[in-house]
Amino acid sequence: MDINLFDFDLPESLIAQSPSSKRDECRLLVVDREHKTYEDKLFKDIIPYLKPGDVLVRNNTKVIPARLIGTKEETKGHCEVLLLKQLEEKDTWECLVGNAHSVKEGTHVSFGDGSLRCECVKVLPEGIRHMRFIYEGIFLEVLERLGKMPLPPYIKKQISNNDDYQTVYAKVPGSAAAPTAGFHFTKELFDKIIDMGCEVVDITLNIGLGTFRPVKVSDTKDHVMHSEFFHMDEKAASILNKAKSEGRRIIAIGTTSVRTLESIYGKYGKFVAASEDTSIFINPGYEYKAVDALITNFHLPKSTLVMLVSAFMGRNFTLSCYKHAVEEKYRFFSFGDAMFIYGKYDYSKNLED
């Protein structure tokens, strides 16, 4: 499909630059994809739309301060390095490097007082480099001291509190971006959800380059997703399989949860314990197999995330909801407002919708 079919007009003033003062008091567009209707609510009003027996799946990845600003030792030139994914080789990471043309194999970069250094050990296309880090002590502790939170480029000001760019349930360090649909939940809201008879399951997907890389091709069939690592344990798989067999809803909190659930179910025909990479690209024409309802933020025009939502409820209806959100001045992107999408859907009509 032509990626321009997923474009929409968005005033820059609607791009949220800071989080809501209270996480669960952001706005919520409640969308019934079966009847093609929507309602304006607050996020804390989501409770009546949930049912006892629902299983909410959240991505418990934790963002690391993955943005490092340093100096090339050979030339003293400025160099910015964004850690994307830890590789099997000891202390080696896949990184997105600024001014990458000047970073060749053997280039050394020093950060801060020099207590953290790295060497380029492999050159890949599109600014990707494999960097081997040299340090003393515990890497994540060094990173906490020298790194910055890797905020998306549309957020113009660095946050003062790193917890603002984490979910309240962030647990497993490893992401270069946050699963932002989870920002709206508080511990108290989860307590209410569990008390009403819902279950909450944790999975992990470490978010990497897929979040930062725009779609550069004109046809969606030519776009290749960057792979990201996910993990599901036996307990989560058992809970989800039981819910499926009993016809209970599986509700994904965020697109990263969607990609994990659909990757596993699509490959194995059920939920299984797995630790793998996925490069799944969900766009119109895809039939969801695992997810029954979705909580998600409002995404960038022509992005893979708008395509994922369009595959869930139809492109035209998605753009209609986005048009309403713009008219009603919803806040967009990472620190913005949310949607809850539910209801039955006939995927055979997805390309028509």
Side-chain angles (χ1 to χ4, degrees):
M1 298 179 74
D2 186 341
I3 66 164
N4 291 310
L5 293 172
F6 301 93
D7 198 8
F8 59 92
D9 292 326
L10 179 68
E12 189 173 345
S13 60
L14 297 185
I15 301 173
Q17 294 297 311
S18 58
S20 299
S21 57
K22 293 185 178 179
R23 288 178 181 259
D24 62 353
E25 291 190 2
C26 74
R27 298 173 74 184
L28 177 69
L29 188 66
V30 180
V31 179
D32 181 341
R33 61 178 181 164
E34 180 180 5
H35 299 103
K36 291 187 167 44
T37 59
Y38 43 78
E39 304 173 83
D40 299 304
K41 299 287 183 178
L42 295 180
F43 195 83
K44 62 184 180 181
D45 298 328
I46 197 171
I47 295 287
Y49 298 94
L50 303 178
K51 305 173 185 177
D54 285 345
V55 181
L56 282 75
V57 183
R58 62 190 188 183
N59 182 3
N60 67 1
T61 191
K62 187 173 185 178
V63 185
I64 59 175
R67 182 173 170 241
L68 290 163
I69 299 172
T71 303
K72 294 191 286 290
E73 294 181 357
E74 291 80 6
T75 65
K76 306 305 179 186
H78 171 94
C79 185
E80 185 167 331
V81 175
L82 179 66
L83 281 67
L84 297 174
K85 182 167 66 174
Q86 189 170 15
L87 303 174
E88 290 184 5
E89 297 87 349
K90 180 176 171 56
D91 294 322
T92 302
W93 286 71
E94 180 181 87
C95 300
L96 181 63
V97 177
N99 297 319
H101 64 277
S102 65
V103 178
K104 301 174 173 58
E105 284 190 27
T107 297
H108 291 81
V109 184
S110 178
F111 305 98
D113 56 4
S115 59
L116 179 64
R117 302 170 61 237
C118 67
E119 177 187 3
C120 177
V121 295
K122 187 173 183 179
V123 173
L124 294 167
E126 299 188 58
I128 303 298
R129 301 289 185 268
H130 288 180
M131 308 293 280
R132 182 175 61 85
F133 285 85
I134 306 153
Y135 59 93
E136 291 185 1
I138 299 171
F139 182 67
L140 285 178
E141 290 182 358
V142 177
L143 206 58
E144 286 286 347
R145 183 165 55 85
L146 295 176
K148 298 179 181 294
M149 293 300 273
L151 299 180
Y154 49 76
I155 295 176
K156 305 301 182 186
K157 185 178 179 182
Q158 190 70 25
I159 54 176
S160 57
N161 183 355
N162 283 354
D163 287 344
D164 286 344
Y165 195 62
Q166 302 279 17
T167 63
V168 297
Y169 48 87
K171 183 179 179 182
V172 181
S175 273
T180 56
F183 282 174
H184 315 297
F185 286 91
T186 63
K187 292 177 182 177
E188 293 75 18
L189 185 57
F190 275 123
D191 287 342
K192 291 179 182 178
I193 289 169
I194 292 168
D195 286 346
M196 68 172 289
C198 297
E199 294 183 90
V200 177
V201 166
D202 283 349
I203 53 88
T204 305
L205 182 139
N206 288 334
I207 306 169
L209 186 61
T211 296
F212 296 91
R213 175 179 281 168
V215 179
K216 295 180 178 179
V217 296
S218 58
D219 193 318
T220 58
K221 68 178 175 59
D222 298 322
H223 180 68
V224 178
M225 292 288 285
H226 195 77
S227 68
E228 295 168 314
F229 174 81
F230 69 79
H231 171 74
M232 177 183 287
D233 62 23
E234 291 277 5
K235 182 180 178 182
S238 177
I239 292 170
L240 290 165
N241 282 324
K242 190 170 188 292
K244 264 295 183 201
S245 68
E246 295 174 354
R248 293 185 280 124
R249 293 191 303 182
I250 294 174
I251 301 173
I253 300 175
T255 58
T256 58
S257 295
V258 169
R259 296 181 69 236
T260 302
L261 293 169
E262 293 295 324
S263 293
I264 294 173
Y265 205 90
K267 181 176 180 179
Y268 298 101
K270 61 180 180 178
F271 298 107
V272 301
S275 296
E276 302 174 10
D277 286 340
T278 180
S279 55
I280 188 172
F281 176 27
I282 297 174
N283 58 100
Y286 177 89
E287 182 171 345
Y288 280 76
K289 304 167 187 66
V291 175
D292 303 299
L294 170 61
I295 296 166
T296 187
N297 282 16
F298 292 92
H299 305 294
L300 281 75
K302 298 194 285 189
S303 67
T304 60
L305 303 181
V306 168
M307 296 170 196
L308 181 151
V309 175
S310 295
F312 195 67
M313 64 174 185
R315 183 185 68 87
N316 289 323
F317 187 42
T318 297
L319 293 179
S320 175
C321 290
Y322 271 54
K323 184 173 183 291
H324 171 80
V326 169
E327 291 170 349
E328 295 299 317
K329 293 183 169 51
Y330 275 67
R331 286 155 46 95
F332 275 67
F333 306 164
S334 293
F335 285 141
D337 298 317
M339 306 171 77
F340 175 49
I341 309 166
Y342 71 98
K344 295 180 180 179
Y345 186 70
D346 182 356
Y347 288 104
S348 69
K349 297 180 179 178
N350 185 251
L351 290 173
E352 300 170 20
D353 290 345

